[in-house]
Amino acid sequence: VQLVESGGDSIQSGGSVRLSCAASSDTNDMICMGWFRQIPGKQHEGVATIDNKGHTAYAPSVSGRFAISRDNAKRTLYLQMRNLKPEDTAMYYCAPLYSCDNEFRNSGSWGRGTQVTISL
């Protein structure tokens, strides 16, 4: 499956952005999907996961500000981000995961990502 991220933006601190991730094939069979982010020189950091029953989990740094959702009919994963901070600045990626076990193990390949830049 190919995943294409979109929706990244450059905004001021406190603002909101909604990211989308479009899949090339049916997402109903994807047990778990997730969002990651990466800054230059660092490894991918797991941000949020959602299983095929709609159960969600978040990294502590984004809990209460980010919301992950999925629409299998549209083959699309979303990440609504609110109250954004400069430390949220990163390239954001979506990925299918082996499981929603908090280990954020990507079971596919990385896409191009979408850049989110937050300024003071």
Side-chain angles (χ1 to χ4, degrees):
V1 61
Q2 287 188 323
L3 300 174
V4 178
E5 303 89 348
S6 64
D9 202 354
S10 180
I11 64 171
Q12 289 189 322
S13 181
S16 299
V17 172
R18 188 194 196 201
L19 304 182
S20 298
C21 168
S24 61
S25 59
D26 192 0
T27 57
N28 279 295
D29 294 333
M30 293 183 186
I31 296 173
C32 185
M33 299 184 74
W35 283 97
F36 293 76
R37 63 188 180 187
Q38 186 183 35
I39 58 176
K42 299 285 187 179
Q43 291 187 338
H44 288 87
E45 173 194 11
V47 172
T49 61
I50 184 168
D51 67 15
N52 54 6
K53 295 182 179 178
H55 298 126
T56 60
Y58 300 92
S61 60
V62 307
S63 183
R65 299 188 297 121
F66 289 14
I68 187 172
S69 60
R70 62 194 286 177
D71 186 335
N72 289 333
K74 295 183 178 179
R75 300 178 178 180
T76 303
L77 180 72
Y78 302 99
L79 185 67
Q80 178 69 54
M81 306 187 292
R82 296 184 171 88
N83 190 23
L84 284 159
K85 306 174 182 181
E87 51 264 43
D88 295 317
T89 294
M91 187 72 78
Y92 283 73
Y93 301 85
C94 59
L97 305 178
Y98 286 108
S99 64
C100 284
D101 59 0
N102 235 19
E103 293 187 9
F104 289 95
R105 293 171 296 157
N106 185 357
S107 64
S109 56
W110 297 111
R112 292 189 173 185
T114 186
Q115 178 69 35
V116 174
T117 303
I118 310 301
S119 58
L120 288 171

